[in-house]
Every structure is written in structure tokens, then in C-alpha cells.
Amino acid sequence: MQQRRRRYAYFQKSWSAEFVPRTLFYWAKLYIDSFKEGEPYTNLTKCITINLVSEGFKLNTQVHSVYSILEQKNCQLLTDLLEIHFLNLAQASQERIPMKPIEKKQKLIHWLQFINADNKEERTMLAATSPILQMLNEKIDVLSLSPVERKLYESRMKLKSDIATISEVQFKSGLELGFAEGEARGSRQAKLETAKTMLTMGYPVGDICKIAGLSPAEVDAL
């Protein structure tokens, strides 16, 4: 039977003296959290804490280090129930590795560099190495949009959904002409919604016409 385990992840902007006792405290709470009175101690499950440190990590110079309980002379492992991981984001940012990762370590470093990236260009470059990072990068880009840009983005996404829905229905029924007409209606509706949003936010009519693709008369009629 596969061994059960519990994980806890924690992010710290900068290293401090209280970090080690705090991560031990969180590990201890997690270790006994589900333990019930009267149960045998063998029911306790493996617990892993993962600490991401952005700046000033003091324990070593490794990107990823793992601590456990060892005998002091021969370094014999006492138990595998305790694992405390540290991921050094500052050290990962200094690593220079190929942009097409092959090894597991390379993927980890790219992931840490992505987390610690300060600008969009760097994030985009790192996102190209992984489908998951690419998906996360797209989510970050959407969250970074201004209110107007987000409205425009949502309008475009709605238009794509309308076109996809119409396409599926018409494909099943074989009405190609009906699809073309439905696509045109969906496109115009998205333009009108975009223009309405920009009007409520006080944009000049000229700017609205350029972005929404409508004539001044169509905008005035809204």
C-alpha cells in the first residue's frame, strides 16, 4: 500500500532568525493534526514542509535542500516521517541552464525562476519551457490587465465562445450559411458591448470607434 503523506508549503520574502523554529512548529502541527486519542502511533503519517525563500537564505548555497533527523556520527536516518525542504529562489535566479529542460532539476529551477521573475519578458521566456508555466503566465497576464483592457479581453473571449458554439451547432446541422450569419451577429454584439463599457468609463468617441470598430453614428446611438 502506498504510504500516505501530508505536505505544507510556505513562502517567505526574506530570511529571518525565527524561520527554522517556525517551520518546525508548522511541521509538528501538521504531523499530529489528524491523530486521534487512542490510535497507535504507527498511524502517524509522513509530513513534508516546503519553504520557498526569496532573499537572504542562510543555511547553504543550494537551490534545493532537504533536512531530516540523522544520527550525528554515521548520519543514519532515524525516520523518513520528517522532511523539511528549502527552495532558494535567489540562488535559482543565478543558475544558467538550457531553455529546453531535460532533467528534473532543470524543470525545478525554471519553475523557481518563473516564481521569482520581476518582468513580463523574463516570465514569457521561462513559460516557453513548460505547458504548465505557459498556462500560469497567461493567467498572470490577464490579472495584470487594467479594467478597460480586461473588459476588452472578456469581450474577445465571449466572441470566441459565441463563434465556437455557433460553429458546433451549425456543423452538426450542416447549415454553413447560418454559421456565417451567426458569426457576424456575434462579432457585432461583442463590438457593441466593448463600446458600451468604454462609454461608461468616459473614453472619447474617437478612441471607442478605433478600438471597437464602430462608426461615430453607431457609438452615438448606444
Side-chain angles (χ1 to χ4, degrees):
M1 185 177 68
Q2 185 177 7
Q3 183 185 30
R4 293 181 298 166
R5 61 185 63 187
R6 310 180 76 187
R7 295 181 176 87
Y8 175 85
Y10 182 79
F11 176 79
Q12 178 79 7
K13 176 65 176 176
S14 58
W15 183 262
S16 64
E18 66 172 9
F19 200 107
V20 171
R22 181 167 55 187
T23 194
L24 284 171
F25 175 77
Y26 288 147
W27 176 87
K29 288 189 64 177
L30 188 67
Y31 185 57
I32 66 172
D33 182 56
S34 62
F35 188 73
K36 298 179 181 178
E37 184 178 354
E39 286 185 333
Y41 291 115
T42 52
N43 281 5
L44 289 165
T45 60
K46 182 173 185 176
C47 291
I48 302 171
T49 61
I50 303 172
N51 302 281
L52 288 85
V53 186
S54 181
E55 301 170 357
F57 183 65
K58 301 292 186 182
L59 299 181
N60 57 63
T61 59
Q62 299 178 119
V63 172
H64 177 206
S65 50
V66 186
Y67 289 84
S68 54
I69 302 177
L70 303 175
E71 201 282 327
Q72 291 187 3
K73 290 185 178 180
N74 60 22
C75 296
Q76 178 186 7
L77 182 68
L78 176 65
T79 176
D80 67 347
L81 294 179
L82 166 65
E83 279 187 16
I84 297 180
H85 295 244
F86 291 97
L87 297 172
N88 188 341
L89 298 182
Q91 185 66 33
S93 296
Q94 298 176 14
E95 298 285 330
R96 293 295 176 263
I97 56 178
M99 290 308 298
K100 292 185 178 180
I102 300 175
E103 299 179 0
K104 185 176 180 181
K105 179 181 177 181
Q106 293 174 327
K107 294 180 179 180
L108 172 64
I109 291 175
H110 276 157
W111 179 66
L112 296 176
Q113 289 176 339
F114 180 86
I115 293 175
N116 209 36
D118 292 328
N119 58 72
K120 182 177 180 179
E121 290 73 18
E122 185 179 1
R123 278 195 293 103
T124 301
M125 181 180 65
L126 292 167
T129 67
S130 163
I132 295 177
L133 291 184
Q134 189 169 2
M135 179 186 67
L136 292 175
N137 193 43
E138 291 172 356
K139 296 291 185 182
I140 293 173
D141 286 342
V142 173
L143 293 174
S144 302
L145 295 174
S146 68
V148 173
E149 290 172 332
R150 188 172 297 184
K151 284 291 184 181
L152 292 175
Y153 170 83
E154 292 171 354
S155 295
R156 287 194 295 269
M157 293 301 294
K158 183 178 184 301
L159 172 59
K160 290 181 180 180
S161 297
D162 290 343
I163 293 174
T165 301
I166 295 169
S167 176
E168 180 181 357
V169 172
Q170 299 299 345
F171 176 79
K172 290 180 179 179
S173 64
L175 300 178
E176 296 182 359
L177 179 60
F179 164 69
E181 294 174 350
E183 182 179 355
R185 287 196 299 271
S187 177
R188 177 165 176 77
Q189 183 61 35
K191 290 179 179 180
L192 293 174
E193 290 181 2
T194 299
K196 288 179 181 178
T197 300
M198 296 184 71
L199 278 172
T200 59
M201 302 189 74
Y203 272 72
V205 173
D207 291 346
I208 297 174
C209 292
K210 291 179 182 179
I211 295 175
L214 298 173
S215 66
E218 290 175 311
V219 175
D220 290 339
L222 294 176

